[in-house]
Amino acid sequence: MVKEGYYFGVPPLALGGVSYLLHWYAAAAVLMFLALFIFSFFRDPERVIPSDPGAVVSPGDGRVVVVTEEVNAGRPGKRVSIFLAVWNVHVNRAPATGTITKLEYRPGKFLAAMRERASVENEQNIFTLSTDAGEMVFKQIAGLIARRVVSWKKEREKVARGERIGLVRFGSRVDVWVPKEAEILVKVGDNVKGGSSVLARWPGKRSAGKLDAVSATETDANLTAAGKRS
């Protein structure tokens, strides 16, 4: 569980205990249930990170709601949007190994995260990630209930595929944009897991002679990332 879970979960748990001692059983039950829900929401399970060269993994748990062609900064590409329900794990992970060249916080609305307009109009963190294959973009997007997007990373930081990078509280959305050369491997309706489900295949531009050695290095980094919270 991430540390935010203790901040939000311990107060209702303590109040529930006090209510029980005072024989306010109904209030105690409600508070205990609330505490358990919060602890569950902030759970942070380990994941097996794929080591396949060119794999782009899901930044979060949830259901794929959009797969579409989209132009980003004048470049043709494809976007995959994933809706995170309140019962999903909300820790977000890096979709690929690379360097965060830009991290932009954009204030906005709190439309229901399943709505198409949420990708543009809602509060969000926008990560531009430079990888061996090129530049990709992924977003943490707040939803109707989620009111805070949290990044644990900063610009110019390097991340490994599947490394924990932040979370969005209480229902949200994540978007991944890749150039047109990438092969999308998911479809609308698919359920995916953050860090372990492969959304797309986008091979890097390395020479074949260097690929095996670098892939071994990335595998070690990804295995480390599976247990890294930063």
Side-chain angles (χ1 to χ4, degrees):
M1 185 172 65
V2 297
K3 61 183 179 181
E4 285 86 348
Y6 296 102
Y7 299 153
F8 289 95
V10 170
L13 181 64
L15 289 173
V18 172
S19 298
Y20 181 81
L21 292 175
L22 294 174
H23 305 293
W24 299 342
Y25 299 121
V30 171
L31 289 166
M32 292 291 188
F33 176 81
L34 178 61
L36 290 175
F37 167 77
I38 292 172
F39 290 142
S40 175
F41 178 86
F42 286 104
R43 67 194 185 278
D44 184 18
E46 298 297 335
R47 293 286 161 79
V48 176
I49 313 300
S51 59
D52 312 7
V56 177
V57 300
S58 176
D61 290 25
R63 181 166 58 88
V64 176
V65 292
V66 174
V67 177
T68 187
E69 294 185 0
E70 181 175 273
V71 175
N72 184 288
R75 297 174 297 160
K78 305 160 188 174
R79 171 169 56 87
V80 177
S81 296
I82 299 160
F83 172 69
L84 286 67
V86 292
W87 53 81
N88 289 127
V89 173
H90 276 65
V91 173
N92 302 142
R93 294 172 178 263
T97 297
T99 301
I100 300 171
T101 56
K102 184 178 180 181
L103 174 53
E104 177 188 359
Y105 166 72
R106 185 177 297 173
K109 300 178 181 179
F110 298 99
L111 302 174
M114 291 189 68
R115 298 179 63 178
E116 178 64 19
R117 290 164 51 201
S119 287
V120 177
E121 299 184 23
N122 278 22
E123 174 183 318
Q124 56 193 262
N125 280 327
I126 306 172
F127 296 79
T128 301
L129 185 66
S130 176
T131 75
D132 289 315
E135 193 172 81
M136 65 182 298
V137 176
F138 63 100
K139 300 179 180 181
Q140 297 174 290
I141 303 172
L144 180 65
I145 300 174
R147 296 285 167 154
R148 180 82 188 277
V149 287
V150 179
S151 170
W152 297 329
K153 297 296 181 181
K154 299 178 182 178
E155 288 186 4
R156 296 184 294 279
E157 281 196 59
K158 293 182 178 181
V159 293
R161 179 192 298 145
E163 182 176 345
R164 297 168 173 90
I165 56 93
L167 79 160
V168 187
R169 295 176 187 162
F170 303 111
S172 55
R173 178 184 181 119
V174 288
D175 283 3
V176 176
W177 179 91
V178 289
K180 63 179 181 180
E181 295 81 17
E183 177 190 5
I184 303 298
L185 302 178
V186 293
K187 63 183 183 301
V188 173
D190 286 352
N191 290 306
V192 293
K193 296 291 186 182
S196 60
S197 296
V198 180
L199 300 183
R201 195 167 307 284
W202 187 27
K205 300 175 182 177
R206 308 176 183 125
S207 64
K210 296 180 181 178
L211 186 57
D212 290 340
V214 179
S215 294
T217 302
E218 279 194 352
T219 299
D220 291 340
N222 291 336
L223 290 174
T224 301
K228 185 176 180 183
R229 182 172 300 122
S230 130

